[in-house]
Amino acid sequence: MHFLGFSRYRETGGAMLAVSEQHASKMQMRADPIVEKAVGSFVKPSQYPATALGPSFAAIRNAAAEPLYAAAPALVSARWMVLGIAVMSAGNFNPALFGLPDATVETAQKLVALGLWLALIAISFLPGTQRQRPVTTGLLLPVLVVGWVALSASWSGQPDDSLGKALVLLLTTFGAWRAATLLHWHEFFEQLMQAQLLLVLASIAVVIAMPSIGVLHNWQHDGLWSGIYISKQTLGTVAANLLFLCLLRLCYQPSPIALLGLLAGTAGVLGSGSRGGAVMAAAAVGCVLLARRSPRLAGLMSYLPILCLLLATAGITFILLSGLSYFPLFGTKVDLTERTIIWQFSLDAWTTRPWLGFGVQGFWTEASYYDRFLRIHGWVLDNYHSGYVNFLVEFGAIGFALLTGFMLVLCRKLAAIIAAAPALPSRARFAVEAAFGLIVLLFTINLTESFFMRATDFSQVTTTLLTIMLFAPRSSAPRLNAR
């Protein structure tokens, strides 16, 4: 395995690795034994050739040396579009803010986001704007997963709903692939952090100025914040992601934006009642800090998404075999705020279509299931509240097997790059660690929330973009763009 060479030195207070710019150009084709040892603890060099990790690693390092916002006007516009997409795609805004019907606000929000996607894709084809080559090598497995999801529209009982969602998913996936040619890792995370900060600050402002809108008053969530959103879960997820990115940024250097984001994110997760989100955000930072201390531990923690998959599979298996709509624990019935009721109902229906599933957006849109759930329980949500249950019900056992294979390879690549992260300068290292933490966080959140393959949701876009960056070896595009 070949990496950029780098020199080693010991810093006061602990062992650290630093890149020597002077030696990097002389030793570019030499393998450094420390990096070889770190990555080799989990991945044999023969299993990870230089084309799979080396160029990607080099591209991350070289990108970090560029000025953060010094770029052609088209690239600056692309960054603003990514920020706009992140703002518009984080969740459904509360229509009471605009005094318009729910459907009107939701449709307008999606149309604005799709317009920004189309503009971003158009910019990516302008001469000289690409900073990285639009590669496809290594993307076969992710393409198979997305392709299966899109193909599932053909056997859905609701073809209109399914086809529309499949087309939008293909558009946003293609847009993420084109965005990967324009933005470097650290730039994407800067835009994401700023977008989430704007959303959380706006939510806090609504809670203070318009509590009748920003604070929930229903029987189950009375007094909890939803901010600018319909759902408190949306605010909790956005705030948890913001909290994670700001905590990680502050591990490197104090920043007014990161400090503000830390305070706003903490207020958001506590106000929304998403204590679990706050714990997971802090745990994700803890994982990153532990990974710095031990390459072996870093490799093990890279497989936390697989642990989430195993936990989800165990829960699904128990519900299917027992027929219960709760988990019995020490004489109590644990239903995870009635999530298990949704899981049992949808999984029971899945047994009628076990291999192919109901197709994308093909279950809750069927009136027979929607109405039956409403009759039984007196309420209904077109939300599985578990990405793993969602994947199994809509895409069947075949789709779930593809997801499992994808996650195994994803974790393997994550283990390799996080183990070698100490060789990077701080800005690039922040990007790699942010990718590591966000992947762990998003796959954990999907245990009790459903974000997998939600075409217009930015959590899905983030997962797609990070997958492209991890699976496809990056290399710099020709220097054509004028400053």
Side-chain angles (χ1 to χ4, degrees):
M1 186 185 301
H2 296 288
F3 294 91
L4 281 171
F6 61 94
S7 64
R8 303 186 298 272
Y9 69 88
R10 300 286 179 180
E11 288 188 353
T12 304
M16 298 288 290
L17 293 169
V19 176
S20 169
E21 297 294 340
Q22 180 179 1
H23 293 132
S25 59
K26 297 179 181 179
M27 301 175 64
Q28 186 164 353
M29 299 306 294
R30 290 183 58 187
D32 188 276
I34 288 185
V35 177
E36 290 285 358
K37 181 179 180 181
V39 179
S41 300
F42 324 104
V43 183
K44 295 179 180 179
S46 61
Q47 294 176 321
Y48 239 104
T51 55
L53 182 60
S56 178
F57 204 64
I60 297 169
R61 176 186 175 278
N62 293 338
E66 294 184 6
L68 183 58
Y69 292 113
L75 290 175
V76 175
S77 299
R79 293 193 191 103
W80 280 104
M81 287 173 191
V82 169
L83 188 147
I85 293 169
V87 168
M88 300 303 296
S89 305
N92 293 332
F93 294 148
N94 193 329
L97 290 170
F98 310 97
L100 296 172
D102 294 16
T104 302
V105 174
E106 183 178 352
T107 300
Q109 199 174 336
K110 290 180 179 179
L111 288 175
V112 171
L114 289 176
L116 290 171
W117 272 119
L118 291 172
L120 180 66
I121 291 170
I123 285 176
S124 72
F125 284 101
L126 292 177
T129 57
Q130 291 183 8
R131 298 156 77 195
Q132 301 178 107
R133 298 182 188 278
V135 297
T136 56
T137 306
L139 291 176
L140 177 60
L141 187 53
V143 167
L144 282 175
V145 174
V146 175
W148 180 261
V149 171
L151 184 64
S152 70
S154 63
W155 59 78
S156 167
Q158 306 295 317
D160 292 339
D161 293 315
S162 297
L163 182 60
K165 183 166 183 178
L167 291 175
V168 173
L169 176 66
L170 291 175
L171 175 67
T172 56
T173 301
F174 180 72
W177 180 62
R178 297 304 303 175
T181 70
L182 302 176
L183 300 180
H184 296 308
W185 288 42
H186 56 274
E187 293 170 330
F188 171 74
F189 288 121
E190 290 289 340
Q191 299 303 105
L192 179 58
M193 184 167 67
Q194 291 173 20
Q196 290 174 337
L197 177 58
L198 288 174
L199 291 169
V200 175
L201 287 177
S203 292
I204 293 173
V206 169
V207 167
I208 295 172
M210 294 181 284
S212 60
I213 295 176
V215 181
L216 296 173
H217 301 285
N218 55 48
W219 66 272
Q220 191 174 20
H221 302 132
D222 187 40
L224 298 179
W225 296 1
S226 62
I228 60 174
Y229 297 108
I230 295 176
S231 166
K232 79 174 189 69
Q233 284 90 355
T234 303
L235 176 58
T237 301
V238 172
N241 287 339
L242 174 65
L243 184 60
F244 163 71
L245 288 174
C246 291
L247 279 170
L248 185 59
R249 169 60 78 191
L250 291 171
C251 289
Y252 286 96
Q253 61 182 24
S255 161
I257 290 180
L259 287 170
L260 179 60
L262 176 64
L263 296 174
T266 302
V269 293
L270 294 178
S272 66
S274 182
R275 292 180 294 274
V279 170
M280 283 189 289
V285 174
C287 287
V288 170
L289 297 178
L290 288 173
R292 291 180 184 179
R293 298 181 62 86
S294 169
R296 183 171 298 277
L297 199 55
L300 291 174
M301 287 188 295
S302 297
Y303 286 87
L304 284 175
I306 296 299
L307 177 61
C308 294
L309 178 67
L310 292 174
L311 289 173
T313 303
I316 289 169
T317 303
F318 175 83
I319 288 173
L320 285 172
L321 293 179
S322 68
L324 297 175
S325 59
Y326 58 86
F327 297 125
L329 184 65
F330 303 117
T332 61
K333 298 179 179 180
V334 179
D335 63 8
L336 302 176
T337 59
E338 302 187 327
R339 283 173 170 82
T340 53
I341 295 174
I342 301 172
W343 300 348
Q344 191 277 329
F345 181 84
S346 56
L347 289 170
D348 181 65
W350 166 77
T351 58
T352 64
R353 303 186 188 182
W355 294 107
L356 298 181
F358 286 83
V360 57
Q361 198 80 357
F363 180 70
W364 291 112
T365 50
E366 281 202 17
S368 58
Y369 292 109
Y370 188 97
D371 293 342
R372 181 151 63 93
F373 190 97
L374 181 60
R375 268 196 325 271
I376 295 172
H377 301 288
W379 56 272
V380 64
L381 297 171
D382 57 346
N383 190 321
Y384 298 89
H385 276 294
S386 170
Y388 302 97
V389 173
N390 179 4
F391 220 89
L392 181 62
V393 172
E394 293 196 350
F395 313 120
I398 296 174
F400 201 79
L402 286 173
L403 175 68
T404 301
F406 161 74
M407 288 178 63
L408 284 169
V409 178
L410 174 68
C411 291
R412 176 172 168 265
K413 290 180 179 292
L414 199 62
I417 205 162
I418 193 64
L424 293 170
S426 61
R427 187 194 294 172
R429 186 175 178 181
F430 162 75
V432 169
E433 291 178 343
F436 169 80
L438 271 183
I439 288 174
V440 170
L441 187 61
L442 289 172
F443 278 91
T444 303
I445 288 175
N446 267 286
L447 281 170
T448 55
E449 300 296 338
S450 180
F451 293 112
F452 287 153
M453 299 302 161
R454 287 178 63 174
T456 56
D457 193 280
F458 206 74
S459 294
Q460 167 63 25
V461 173
T462 300
T463 305
T464 302
L465 191 60
L466 295 182
T467 295
I468 292 169
M469 291 175 169
L470 281 170
F471 276 69
R474 314 306 307 173
S475 58
S476 298
R479 295 285 183 176
L480 299 176
N481 53 305
R483 294 286 181 182

